[in-house]
Tab-separated table of all heavy atoms in Angstrom:
chain	number	residue	atom	x	y	z
A	99	PHE	N	30.329	-59.843	93.410
A	99	PHE	CA	30.472	-60.993	94.301
A	99	PHE	C	30.344	-62.267	93.470
A	99	PHE	O	29.603	-62.296	92.474
A	99	PHE	CB	29.365	-61.013	95.372
A	99	PHE	CG	29.630	-60.132	96.559
A	99	PHE	CD1	29.183	-58.826	96.584
A	99	PHE	CD2	30.313	-60.626	97.670
A	99	PHE	CE1	29.415	-58.015	97.688
A	99	PHE	CE2	30.546	-59.819	98.775
A	99	PHE	CZ	30.093	-58.509	98.785
A	100	ASP	N	31.033	-63.327	93.937
A	100	ASP	CA	30.983	-64.641	93.289
A	100	ASP	C	29.582	-65.065	92.848
A	100	ASP	O	29.370	-65.519	91.733
A	100	ASP	CB	31.564	-65.696	94.235
A	100	ASP	CG	31.229	-65.416	95.695
A	100	ASP	OD1	30.031	-65.324	96.024
A	100	ASP	OD2	32.171	-65.241	96.500
A	101	GLY	N	28.618	-64.925	93.760
A	101	GLY	CA	27.272	-65.430	93.474
A	101	GLY	C	26.530	-64.626	92.425
A	101	GLY	O	25.421	-65.005	92.024
A	102	PHE	N	27.140	-63.534	91.956
A	102	PHE	CA	26.479	-62.709	90.938
A	102	PHE	C	27.096	-62.901	89.551
A	102	PHE	O	26.760	-62.178	88.610
A	102	PHE	CB	26.531	-61.220	91.310
A	102	PHE	CG	26.003	-60.914	92.682
A	102	PHE	CD1	26.484	-59.831	93.400
A	102	PHE	CD2	25.017	-61.711	93.264
A	102	PHE	CE1	26.004	-59.549	94.678
A	102	PHE	CE2	24.542	-61.430	94.536
A	102	PHE	CZ	25.034	-60.352	95.248
A	103	VAL	N	28.002	-63.850	89.427
A	103	VAL	CA	28.644	-64.050	88.122
A	103	VAL	C	27.760	-64.863	87.180
A	103	VAL	O	27.923	-64.812	85.960
A	103	VAL	CB	30.032	-64.726	88.269
A	103	VAL	CG1	29.909	-66.196	88.659
A	103	VAL	CG2	30.834	-64.597	86.970
A	104	TYR	N	26.785	-65.570	87.731
A	104	TYR	CA	26.014	-66.498	86.885
A	104	TYR	C	25.226	-65.836	85.762
A	104	TYR	O	25.084	-66.428	84.692
A	104	TYR	CB	25.143	-67.420	87.755
A	104	TYR	CG	25.962	-68.072	88.849
A	104	TYR	CD1	25.702	-67.843	90.197
A	104	TYR	CD2	27.075	-68.853	88.525
A	104	TYR	CE1	26.502	-68.392	91.192
A	104	TYR	CE2	27.880	-69.397	89.513
A	104	TYR	CZ	27.587	-69.163	90.853
A	104	TYR	OH	28.394	-69.695	91.816
A	107	PHE	N	27.411	-65.949	82.902
A	107	PHE	CA	27.983	-67.256	82.549
A	107	PHE	C	27.893	-67.513	81.048
A	107	PHE	O	28.842	-68.001	80.423
A	107	PHE	CB	27.248	-68.350	83.331
A	107	PHE	CG	27.974	-69.658	83.361
A	107	PHE	CD1	29.068	-69.841	84.190
A	107	PHE	CD2	27.569	-70.711	82.569
A	107	PHE	CE1	29.745	-71.055	84.219
A	107	PHE	CE2	28.232	-71.925	82.587
A	107	PHE	CZ	29.322	-72.095	83.419
A	133	ILE	N	36.709	-61.686	90.133
A	133	ILE	CA	35.595	-62.156	90.957
A	133	ILE	C	36.076	-62.327	92.399
A	133	ILE	O	36.885	-63.208	92.678
A	133	ILE	CB	35.049	-63.522	90.463
A	133	ILE	CG1	34.758	-63.499	88.955
A	133	ILE	CG2	33.804	-63.912	91.262
A	133	ILE	CD1	34.377	-64.871	88.390
A	134	PRO	N	35.601	-61.486	93.341
A	134	PRO	CA	35.868	-61.769	94.751
A	134	PRO	C	35.144	-63.071	95.108
A	134	PRO	O	33.949	-63.196	94.834
A	134	PRO	CB	35.236	-60.578	95.492
A	134	PRO	CG	34.927	-59.566	94.434
A	134	PRO	CD	34.752	-60.317	93.157
A	135	PHE	N	35.865	-64.067	95.650
A	135	PHE	CA	35.226	-65.376	95.863
A	135	PHE	C	35.568	-65.953	97.229
A	135	PHE	O	36.457	-65.480	97.930
A	135	PHE	CB	35.596	-66.341	94.735
A	135	PHE	CG	36.897	-67.088	94.950
A	135	PHE	CD1	36.915	-68.483	94.961
A	135	PHE	CD2	38.093	-66.410	95.128
A	135	PHE	CE1	38.100	-69.190	95.144
A	135	PHE	CE2	39.282	-67.115	95.305
A	135	PHE	CZ	39.284	-68.506	95.325
A	136	GLY	N	34.794	-66.981	97.589
A	136	GLY	CA	35.053	-67.720	98.817
A	136	GLY	C	34.309	-67.145	100.013
A	136	GLY	O	33.671	-66.086	99.942
A	146	SER	N	29.415	-65.890	99.212
A	146	SER	CA	30.522	-66.686	99.769
A	146	SER	C	30.861	-67.890	98.911
A	146	SER	O	31.412	-68.857	99.401
A	146	SER	CB	30.128	-67.168	101.174
A	146	SER	OG	29.901	-66.059	102.020
A	147	GLU	N	30.544	-67.839	97.632
A	147	GLU	CA	30.660	-69.033	96.804
A	147	GLU	C	32.036	-69.181	96.147
A	147	GLU	O	32.805	-68.233	96.078
A	147	GLU	CB	29.551	-69.013	95.745
A	147	GLU	CG	28.181	-68.969	96.402
A	147	GLU	CD	27.020	-69.071	95.435
A	147	GLU	OE1	27.245	-69.304	94.233
A	147	GLU	OE2	25.877	-68.921	95.893
A	148	SER	N	32.287	-70.379	95.683
A	148	SER	CA	33.560	-70.698	95.025
A	148	SER	C	33.264	-71.277	93.641
A	148	SER	O	33.195	-72.488	93.470
A	148	SER	CB	34.347	-71.710	95.871
A	148	SER	OG	34.679	-71.126	97.111
A	149	PRO	N	33.074	-70.405	92.642
A	149	PRO	CA	32.649	-70.873	91.317
A	149	PRO	C	33.794	-71.212	90.368
A	149	PRO	O	33.560	-71.442	89.182
A	149	PRO	CB	31.861	-69.657	90.786
A	149	PRO	CG	32.571	-68.479	91.379
A	149	PRO	CD	33.120	-68.934	92.727
A	150	GLU	N	35.045	-71.264	90.862
A	150	GLU	CA	36.189	-71.363	89.958
A	150	GLU	C	36.162	-72.605	89.068
A	150	GLU	O	36.650	-72.577	87.932
A	150	GLU	CB	37.510	-71.284	90.736
A	150	GLU	CG	37.775	-72.419	91.731
A	150	GLU	CD	37.134	-72.195	93.092
A	150	GLU	OE1	36.261	-71.321	93.211
A	150	GLU	OE2	37.511	-72.907	94.049
A	151	SER	N	35.589	-73.705	89.596
A	151	SER	CA	35.640	-74.944	88.809
A	151	SER	C	34.793	-74.858	87.538
A	151	SER	O	35.121	-75.484	86.536
A	151	SER	CB	35.204	-76.134	89.657
A	151	SER	OG	36.120	-76.344	90.713
A	152	TYR	N	33.702	-74.109	87.590
A	152	TYR	CA	32.897	-73.933	86.367
A	152	TYR	C	33.772	-73.390	85.238
A	152	TYR	O	33.659	-73.789	84.087
A	152	TYR	CB	31.757	-72.931	86.576
A	152	TYR	CG	30.743	-73.291	87.621
A	152	TYR	CD1	30.496	-72.426	88.689
A	152	TYR	CD2	29.998	-74.458	87.537
A	152	TYR	CE1	29.543	-72.725	89.645
A	152	TYR	CE2	29.057	-74.760	88.490
A	152	TYR	CZ	28.826	-73.891	89.547
A	152	TYR	OH	27.890	-74.185	90.492
A	153	PHE	N	34.610	-72.444	85.586
A	153	PHE	CA	35.416	-71.770	84.570
A	153	PHE	C	36.658	-72.583	84.214
A	153	PHE	O	37.096	-72.581	83.063
A	153	PHE	CB	35.768	-70.361	85.049
A	153	PHE	CG	34.545	-69.563	85.387
A	153	PHE	CD1	34.250	-69.195	86.696
A	153	PHE	CD2	33.643	-69.218	84.393
A	153	PHE	CE1	33.098	-68.488	87.003
A	153	PHE	CE2	32.484	-68.510	84.690
A	153	PHE	CZ	32.217	-68.143	85.998
A	154	ALA	N	37.219	-73.273	85.221
A	154	ALA	CA	38.387	-74.126	84.955
A	154	ALA	C	38.014	-75.207	83.940
A	154	ALA	O	38.842	-75.645	83.146
A	154	ALA	CB	38.876	-74.760	86.256
A	155	HIS	N	36.767	-75.611	83.947
A	155	HIS	CA	36.281	-76.682	83.062
A	155	HIS	C	36.168	-76.214	81.614
A	155	HIS	O	36.075	-77.035	80.705
A	155	HIS	CB	34.908	-77.134	83.569
A	155	HIS	CG	34.342	-78.311	82.853
A	155	HIS	ND1	34.848	-79.572	83.001
A	155	HIS	CD2	33.328	-78.422	81.967
A	155	HIS	CE1	34.158	-80.408	82.242
A	155	HIS	NE2	33.234	-79.744	81.603
A	161	VAL	N	42.185	-69.600	84.686
A	161	VAL	CA	41.630	-69.265	85.998
A	161	VAL	C	42.763	-69.217	87.010
A	161	VAL	O	43.518	-70.192	87.133
A	161	VAL	CB	40.571	-70.302	86.446
A	161	VAL	CG1	39.901	-69.846	87.739
A	161	VAL	CG2	39.539	-70.544	85.352
A	185	ILE	N	40.067	-65.551	84.269
A	185	ILE	CA	39.124	-65.401	85.383
A	185	ILE	C	39.984	-65.251	86.634
A	185	ILE	O	40.729	-66.164	86.999
A	185	ILE	CB	38.197	-66.631	85.510
A	185	ILE	CG1	37.533	-66.956	84.159
A	185	ILE	CG2	37.170	-66.401	86.608
A	185	ILE	CD1	36.569	-65.932	83.648
A	187	CYS	N	40.210	-64.882	90.389
A	187	CYS	CA	39.425	-65.111	91.613
A	187	CYS	C	40.173	-64.556	92.823
A	187	CYS	O	41.261	-65.035	93.153
A	187	CYS	CB	39.169	-66.605	91.783
A	187	CYS	SG	38.175	-67.321	90.460
A	278	ALA	N	35.509	-75.064	97.442
A	278	ALA	CA	34.523	-75.574	96.489
A	278	ALA	C	34.285	-77.054	96.745
A	278	ALA	O	35.227	-77.783	97.059
A	278	ALA	CB	35.022	-75.364	95.066
Side-chain angles (χ1 to χ4, degrees):
Chain A
F99 278 91
D100 36 58
F102 307 151
V103 72
Y104 309 117
F107 196 76
I133 309 173
F135 86 122
S146 299
E147 301 185 7
S148 296
E150 64 275 15
S151 295
Y152 299 123
F153 304 112
H155 186 71
V161 186
I185 308 294
C187 297

